[in-house]
Amino acid sequence: MSSAGVEEAGAKAGARSGRTTAGSLGGSLLVSIGLGYVLTVACQRLLPPQEYAVFVTFWGLLMGLGSTLSPLEQELSRQSAVAALDGGRAGRPALRAVAVGAVVAAVFSLALLIPPINDRLFRGDWTLGLIVLVGGVAFAFQFGTRGLLIGQHKVKPFSLLVIAEPAVRALVLGVLFVAVAYNVVTLAIAVAAGSFAWLLFARPARRLIDPQAEGDGWGVTSRRMGMLLVGAALTSAVITGYPALVGLLAPGDDGARVGALFAALVIARLPLTLIGPVQSLVVPFVVRLSTTDEGRNRLQRVLALGVVASLALAALGALVGLWLGPWAVRFVSGPGYDVDGWSVAGLVWSSVVLVPMQLLTAVLVARTQARLVLITWTVVTGTASLFLLFLPGDTVFRAVVALAVAPTLGLAVVVAFVLRKAPGTTPGAAETSS
């Protein structure tokens, strides 16, 4: 066979491998998302609204902590992939990164045991704080394991781990349901159990680590991870962890209404469950278009049209939520979950607006403008916090208005960052500090 034929065959084999990898990862991610969504709805059905308000606060804290620690997966996948190019394995810096994440999780979780904070979030139930502590520390090892696996292109075990996390939760939840032993604490234990799915893959992950290999020290690793974790924490505060933010800054006595609002929030957030894979596609798309003036102009037009279309869709969604929202919440969650139409309208508006906002921050990531990403999410989280603290009205009113206004302001900020003159002639020329 000629060299050209060999190259063509190799290219086809690489393309098939890439499609297989993408299909495996995409399929496992969709299964994971589906299982997680079913689990949250099942808990709505099992608990009355007042208890669900406490449970979803716990859920938001643990999953928000998981989202905060998710950069561990990116960092360890980077280290593992770089080491693989040299025929080696990730070394001590990978272990240091996981240790930093575990310490951050532990410090955050221990703060939940402080009586005033615990009273606001869990109504004095310190058990839930301990469960967050155990599950949060386990999350650090979970994302570290995932990063090692995907960095060395161990697609099958990585995909299985992605599915195993929600599957373990669903299994424990099913056992509790059959045994009629479910309450807020036992359901919380079922949720935290998923954080230990990494133990099933500890042996293959262990083979991808060389504890003797040197690299970045504690200082460099801590600074890098600190920046990544802060950015992820700001993002999760208004997405996954928003119920906890409400409980901390604007606690209310009407637990049933707040529980119904959080149930509506889970339903309204369905569009956001698929944003992760789309963000992954945005970055290479932006990189390709940003290599020429014509491409950058086309990108600006696409982004501007996308923002306008998203705002129109958000307005339409808000109208549908105003009309059908209360019925949809009762249908999915149960007749005890009673929520106002205007509340659902605000939540739907927020959820739709967050989609283009996250995609536009991915554009900034593609331009290596990490500081602007941090500024954007700081504006969103800060605005939501100020509204929750100082806006007159009850907890439900403040929670809805804060969540509707903050992402809208954040969208305006990130649009201003993205639509201004693109830096350089190539994405690599972008200033990492701007």
Side-chain angles (χ1 to χ4, degrees):
M1 181 182 291
S2 68
S3 61
V6 171
E7 291 178 2
E8 182 180 356
K12 290 181 179 179
R16 286 194 298 270
S17 175
R19 287 194 296 269
T20 302
T21 299
S24 177
L25 294 177
S28 63
L29 185 61
L30 289 175
V31 171
S32 175
I33 290 171
L35 284 172
Y37 201 77
V38 168
L39 181 63
T40 57
V41 173
C43 291
Q44 292 174 12
R45 284 283 181 174
L46 294 175
L47 296 173
Q50 190 161 357
E51 292 185 13
Y52 182 72
V54 177
F55 173 80
V56 80
T57 298
F58 160 83
W59 176 282
L61 281 167
L62 183 59
M63 296 305 164
L65 186 54
S67 297
T68 299
L69 295 172
S70 62
L72 279 169
E73 179 180 336
Q74 304 166 26
E75 176 61 16
L76 264 70
S77 67
R78 181 190 68 81
Q79 293 187 26
S80 189
V82 170
L85 291 176
D86 298 328
R89 295 173 291 171
R92 291 183 181 178
L95 299 176
R96 291 178 180 130
V98 173
V100 170
V103 169
V104 169
V107 171
F108 173 83
S109 303
L110 288 173
L112 303 180
L113 300 178
I114 298 173
I117 297 177
N118 192 270
D119 288 341
R120 284 197 168 207
L121 295 174
F122 303 135
R123 300 174 189 169
D125 191 342
W126 56 269
T127 307
L128 294 175
L130 287 178
I131 297 173
V132 173
L133 171 63
V134 175
V137 172
F139 257 137
F141 293 92
Q142 183 119 305
F143 283 114
T145 301
R146 285 170 52 160
L148 289 173
L149 292 172
I150 198 62
Q152 290 274 7
H153 205 65
K154 306 294 184 182
V155 176
K156 184 176 180 180
F158 175 85
S159 301
L160 291 174
L161 177 52
V162 169
I163 296 174
E165 180 183 329
V168 169
R169 294 191 182 104
L171 177 63
V172 178
L173 177 65
V175 171
L176 294 173
F177 177 76
V178 171
V180 196
Y182 53 86
N183 54 44
V184 173
V185 172
T186 55
L187 292 181
I189 292 174
V191 172
S195 304
F196 290 88
W198 66 275
L199 291 171
L200 301 173
F201 303 85
R203 179 173 294 181
R206 173 65 183 84
R207 301 192 192 102
L208 305 178
I209 281 280
D210 180 6
Q212 305 305 317
E214 289 291 348
D216 293 335
W218 283 104
V220 173
T221 301
S222 298
R223 285 192 295 273
R224 181 188 300 123
M225 289 309 305
M227 182 176 179
L228 292 173
L229 295 178
V230 167
L234 291 172
T235 305
S236 66
V238 291
I239 299 181
T240 312
Y242 189 69
L245 189 68
V246 173
L248 185 63
L249 300 181
D253 295 330
D254 194 348
R257 289 188 66 221
V258 174
L261 177 71
F262 289 159
L265 177 61
V266 170
I267 297 170
R269 284 284 168 84
L270 181 59
L272 292 179
T273 58
L274 300 176
I275 198 64
V278 179
Q279 278 183 297
S280 300
L281 297 175
V282 167
V283 173
F285 174 74
V286 172
V287 169
R288 287 193 298 270
L289 286 183
S290 298
T291 55
T292 65
D293 289 336
E294 180 183 356
R296 284 192 290 274
N297 291 334
R298 180 187 168 198
L299 178 63
Q300 301 285 59
R301 292 193 298 270
V302 169
L303 294 176
L305 289 173
V307 170
V308 172
S310 298
L311 290 174
L313 183 61
L316 177 61
L319 288 175
V320 173
L322 180 66
W323 179 37
L324 293 177
W327 171 83
V329 172
R330 287 192 295 270
F331 177 79
V332 173
S333 305
Y337 288 80
D338 191 17
V339 64
D340 297 324
W342 69 268
S343 296
V344 181
L347 297 179
V348 172
W349 167 274
S350 169
S351 297
V352 177
V353 167
L354 277 167
V355 172
M357 185 186 159
Q358 291 194 78
L359 294 179
L360 289 173
T361 57
V363 173
L364 297 179
V365 170
R367 294 178 178 175
T368 64
Q369 295 175 305
R371 189 171 69 89
L372 298 184
V373 176
L374 287 177
I375 291 173
T376 300
W377 285 109
T378 300
V379 168
V380 176
T381 306
T383 300
S385 300
L386 289 174
F387 271 77
L388 288 172
L389 283 170
F390 301 113
L391 186 69
D394 61 14
T395 299
V396 170
F397 178 76
R398 282 187 282 174
V400 173
V401 174
L403 198 55
V405 173
T408 305
L409 180 59
L411 180 62
V413 171
V414 75
V415 165
F417 287 152
V418 169
L419 294 186
R420 70 181 185 175
K421 183 175 175 60
T425 57
T426 65
E431 297 180 6
T432 57
S433 61
S434 63

